[in-house]
Amino acid sequence: MKKLLIPFLFLILFIFISCDQQSKINITIEGDIASPSFPIKIQIPQSLDYEVKFFEGENEIKYEKNGSEYYFKDLKEGKHTLRMEIYKNKNKVSERTFTFYYDTTAPEIGFLNIYLKSGELNVTAASPATDLSRFILKDASNTYNFNINIKIPLKKDIGTKNFELYAVDKYGNISKEKIITINTGEDKPPKILNDTLKISVFGDTNIKLFDDWTKDEDLKVFLKTKDGIYSTYTMSEILDDTTDDGTLLVIDNGNNITTKKIKIEVEYSIPSMPSGNPKLIDYSVDTFGWDYETDIESYIVETPYEYGWKKEVETKAAYARLEKANVAMIRKKSKFGTLSFPSQPTIRFSGTFVHLVRNILESSNENLYLPQINSEFLIGGETVLGKDSVVMVESGSILKFVSNSKLVIKGVFFIMPGPGKSLINGNGEIIVDGGIFIASKTIFDKVKIIGKNAKLIYLEDSEFLENSDLISSNDFRICLYNTIGYKTQINLFNSEEIFIKESTFKNIVMNNVNMLESIKSVFANVEIENLSKAYIDNSSINTMIQKNFSWSKIVNSNINDLNVENYSRSVIDNSKILNIINKGSTVIK
């Protein structure tokens, strides 16, 4: 009896141990799609101690293993259910079944566009495959991965270059190659893509050119009309041309020539400034609007950033959303691509404002509201308003400097519009140090405004009295709208954009300014040196000196004495100039 009992106990113990081992094996299987290059992930604890086999029915399935990744081979496309068996010491200790789809279909390259432009191979590809991962482009020495398009620089005259293009899906299936062959010794004539030539008031054009090896800026372009021949440098002269058609001639670096008959459209003025822009926005609202007009291409919404102003939104609608910026300006964009003057700034209340109940304005990093009922506000010593502060001054307020004090603006300082005029006086300085200063209906009496890396100085419906000046250095945008200063000195140095509209000033000196636009304004004396581009329209100037600058256009204006020096180019259209002193420059009337 004992001899029979002992083997029976061993059998019971073996079954118990086997069942215990199976119950302790926790198997995790991830993935329901596989391919020859895409695995099913299987986590088996202490997997080094186990032998794993896979079966489909009675057929054992071959696989390759990399860690917990199992790559199955020799399966057909479609749904498969596998049985996984786990062995230890040649004894099966666990068994699992799982189902997945086996994908062996490679993606197709359904669309392919190849062209050579300006010495770059441009490849655009698409595939109807919904599981596409990327495209691979190979040459003899390089491999490039891209999603939709890619540009690869090529050298001219190095023989024939061959490329192989593949599509790859996210399961690692690779398409058949497409061969791309480029003959780098072939140089085709340039192409003229547009049928209409649009010339703006600034002389800018919409000429769209295409050449295989020559860059657009290196192409030689000429326009021939019945009245003359123009290059890209003299294209602005077409404003005085009476023709509405001509012939474009383009020459590339290989001396290949292309000609094309083309219609000519001319824009003689810049767009008007957007209207209907609200002055204030509640901090809880991020949508604002303006009056819609049909004669424009789009509206540009610009916001300040560290170095000036940037395009935030371009829209054809008469509204936009701004979630972060506290200040925005709107500009129209014409169908010729010309931008209007910036609009009145839109100000957003950027949070809780502290009402200033004392009559002394002190240094602060808070948002302040200065109500007219508590003015006049005294500014003593050096008052610094931090870069995160927004200060709103109610219309009709009085700010008075004490003992040659200074107001330093690093954030936003806004003197609001209203029925009354505000007054700032008292032998002081407003220093716009990297901030934004906006003043509407403000009188400056014995006050100097000093720009110091300002993002914006905007003065509207304001007046400079005697001993009040504007001195700007390294500022980005200065807007002077409907503002007068009969005895005011304005010095602008290293500024990016100057806009003067319907204003009157005594002396303006500009040095190293990128752009000046002036409309319907009156100046006694204007001196411009090292300026990139100037546009003066419907303005009257007693004496104007232009030195060392690239381009200016004077239209519908009156100037008594015009001095043009040092290889500048000045285009005068429909204007009355009594005396012109021209020293080695190009003046076109």
Side-chain angles (χ1 to χ4, degrees):
M1 184 67 181
K2 288 182 178 180
K3 291 181 178 179
L4 293 173
L5 184 59
I6 291 172
F8 179 75
L9 291 175
F10 273 110
L11 178 61
I12 297 297
L13 181 61
F14 175 76
I15 294 173
F16 175 77
I17 293 172
S18 298
C19 293
D20 186 59
Q21 285 179 336
Q22 291 189 49
S23 64
K24 290 182 179 179
I25 298 176
N26 184 20
I27 302 171
T28 303
I29 300 176
E30 298 180 15
D32 55 6
I33 298 179
S35 77
S37 302
F38 192 80
I40 295 291
K41 292 184 178 181
I42 303 176
Q43 300 283 353
I44 304 175
Q46 299 177 345
S47 58
L48 294 177
D49 296 334
Y50 297 103
E51 180 185 1
V52 181
K53 294 182 180 181
F54 296 91
F55 297 89
E56 187 170 29
E58 299 302 321
N59 299 321
E60 186 173 354
I61 305 301
K62 296 179 181 179
Y63 69 91
E64 293 179 1
K65 182 174 179 293
N66 181 15
S68 62
E69 297 179 339
Y70 289 78
Y71 296 85
F72 298 105
K73 306 296 181 182
D74 303 327
L75 292 179
K76 294 182 179 180
E77 174 99 14
K79 185 177 180 181
H80 294 267
T81 299
L82 300 188
R83 182 177 72 256
M84 180 178 65
E85 297 181 356
I86 302 176
Y87 295 81
K88 186 170 184 179
N89 298 327
K90 296 184 180 181
N91 296 310
K92 185 167 68 172
V93 296
S94 184
E95 181 178 306
R96 285 281 299 274
T97 60
F98 59 95
T99 301
F100 62 91
Y101 187 89
Y102 197 68
D103 184 356
T104 62
T105 302
E108 296 180 357
I109 302 175
F111 171 82
L112 180 60
N113 185 31
I114 307 162
Y115 61 91
L116 191 63
K117 185 179 189 307
S118 302
E120 288 183 327
L121 175 64
N122 291 255
V123 179
T124 301
S127 172
T130 57
D131 55 0
L132 182 73
S133 172
R134 67 190 187 281
F135 292 97
I136 298 175
L137 186 67
K138 295 182 178 180
D139 62 14
S141 55
N142 298 291
T143 299
Y144 309 93
N145 292 278
F146 66 98
N147 293 325
I148 298 175
N149 50 55
I150 190 172
K151 295 181 180 180
I152 301 173
L154 290 181
K155 292 183 179 180
K156 190 178 180 183
D157 297 327
I158 59 171
T160 300
K161 287 278 292 183
N162 291 314
F163 295 86
E164 297 175 2
L165 179 67
Y166 301 90
V168 184
D169 67 19
K170 62 183 180 181
Y171 305 112
N173 298 305
I174 302 177
S175 70
K176 294 181 180 180
E177 79 277 4
K178 281 188 179 289
I179 303 299
I180 299 171
T181 301
I182 302 296
N183 181 5
T184 64
E186 183 180 15
D187 189 355
K188 297 179 181 179
K191 296 180 181 179
I192 302 171
L193 303 181
N194 49 318
D195 298 317
T196 301
L197 180 63
K198 295 182 178 181
I199 302 175
S200 75
V201 66
F202 292 114
D204 298 329
T205 66
N206 68 323
I207 302 176
K208 298 178 181 178
L209 305 174
F210 183 99
D211 190 75
D212 47 6
W213 293 107
T214 305
K215 294 182 179 180
D216 291 351
E217 59 268 26
D218 294 331
L219 292 168
K220 301 177 181 67
V221 182
F222 300 93
L223 173 64
K224 182 179 180 181
T225 71
K226 64 181 180 181
D227 292 343
I229 298 177
Y230 309 94
S231 68
T232 51
Y233 182 66
T234 62
M235 201 69 74
S236 59
E237 299 172 31
I238 199 70
L239 292 174
D240 296 325
D241 203 315
T242 58
T243 188
D244 57 2
D245 57 41
T247 300
L248 270 179
L249 183 147
V250 183
I251 307 173
D252 66 14
N253 288 343
N255 291 323
N256 298 300
I257 301 175
T258 298
T259 61
K260 185 177 182 179
K261 294 286 186 181
I262 200 163
K263 294 181 180 179
I264 300 173
E265 296 180 5
V266 179
E267 178 186 60
Y268 290 96
S269 60
I270 67 174
S272 60
M273 198 169 69
S275 59
N277 189 37
K279 290 282 187 175
L280 304 175
I281 303 177
D282 184 81
Y283 73 93
S284 63
V285 179
D286 56 14
T287 302
F288 63 99
W290 51 89
D291 293 341
Y292 179 77
E293 297 181 41
T294 59
D295 61 340
I296 56 97
E297 178 68 18
S298 60
Y299 293 95
I300 305 295
V301 182
E302 297 178 335
T303 58
Y305 73 117
E306 184 177 1
Y307 301 107
W309 289 75
K310 65 179 179 179
K311 180 174 75 173
E312 191 75 32
V313 177
E314 181 169 355
T315 176
K316 293 182 180 294
Y319 63 90
R321 293 188 64 185
L322 287 181
E323 297 180 352
K324 297 180 180 179
N326 287 325
V327 181
M329 303 180 86
I330 319 301
R331 302 177 75 178
K332 291 182 185 176
K333 181 179 179 181
S334 75
K335 296 177 181 179
F336 290 75
T338 304
L339 297 180
S340 71
F341 273 44
S343 71
Q344 300 167 340
T346 296
I347 309 295
R348 182 207 306 277
F349 283 116
S350 58
T352 303
F353 278 75
V354 177
H355 281 248
L356 192 66
V357 295
R358 299 177 58 195
N359 292 96
I360 299 175
L361 178 61
E362 298 176 339
S363 296
S364 174
N365 286 310
E366 294 183 295
N367 296 333
L368 302 176
Y369 186 83
L370 280 59
Q372 187 268 337
I373 193 172
N374 290 332
S375 69
E376 56 187 33
F377 299 99
L378 303 179
I379 303 171
E382 182 172 300
T383 301
V384 180
L385 302 175
K387 66 178 183 178
D388 295 325
S389 68
V390 178
V391 179
M392 315 289 286
V393 182
E394 190 175 3
S395 171
S397 297
I398 299 174
L399 286 81
K400 187 171 184 178
F401 287 96
V402 179
S403 302
N404 297 312
S405 52
K406 299 177 181 179
L407 174 64
V408 181
I409 301 170
K410 295 179 178 290
V412 179
F413 193 91
F414 179 35
I415 301 177
M416 302 165 62
K421 286 194 172 184
S422 299
L423 173 65
I424 304 179
N425 64 356
N427 288 316
E429 294 180 353
I430 299 175
I431 302 174
V432 190
D433 185 5
I436 294 175
F437 177 51
I438 303 169
S440 182
K441 290 187 177 181
T442 301
I443 299 173
F444 300 94
D445 183 11
K446 298 182 180 64
V447 173
K448 285 182 170 56
I449 301 175
I450 300 174
K452 182 181 176 183
N453 300 304
K455 295 183 181 70
L456 172 65
I457 296 176
Y458 178 93
L459 306 179
E460 176 188 40
D461 299 328
S462 297
E463 181 178 356
F464 287 87
L465 301 184
E466 192 171 0
N467 297 321
S468 295
D469 301 313
L470 171 58
I471 302 170
S472 166
S473 177
N474 301 306
D475 298 335
F476 193 91
R477 178 175 291 176
I478 298 173
C479 298
L480 306 174
Y481 297 170
N482 194 29
T483 295
I484 59 175
Y486 295 111
K487 298 183 179 181
T488 298
Q489 180 73 27
I490 296 182
N491 292 340
L492 309 175
F493 179 75
N494 273 1
S495 297
E496 185 69 20
E497 301 174 351
I498 311 295
F499 299 95
I500 304 176
K501 181 175 182 288
E502 298 176 352
S503 297
T504 300
F505 294 104
K506 180 182 179 183
N507 298 319
I508 295 184
V509 177
M510 302 182 191
N511 196 321
N512 200 29
V513 171
N514 181 51
M515 182 183 70
L516 163 68
E517 293 185 30
S518 173
I519 294 181
K520 297 180 181 179
S521 295
V522 178
F523 311 105
N525 301 293
V526 176
E527 184 175 339
I528 301 173
E529 188 168 1
N530 300 319
L531 183 141
S532 177
K533 183 180 288 187
Y535 173 71
I536 297 174
D537 183 14
N538 276 290
S539 297
S540 296
I541 303 172
N542 182 43
T543 301
M544 182 173 183
I545 300 174
Q546 300 178 116
K547 298 179 182 179
N548 306 324
F549 73 103
S550 60
W551 182 92
S552 77
K553 180 168 289 185
I554 301 171
V555 297
N556 306 316
S557 298
N558 296 315
I559 301 177
N560 289 334
D561 297 305
L562 175 62
N563 187 330
V564 184
E565 298 182 15
N566 297 336
Y567 303 100
S568 63
R569 173 180 173 77
S570 183
V571 178
I572 301 172
D573 181 41
N574 194 33
S575 296
K576 183 178 179 180
I577 314 294
L578 296 183
N579 300 301
I580 297 180
I581 300 174
N582 179 17
K583 297 181 181 180
S585 303
T586 303
V587 178
I588 301 166
K589 297 184 66 176

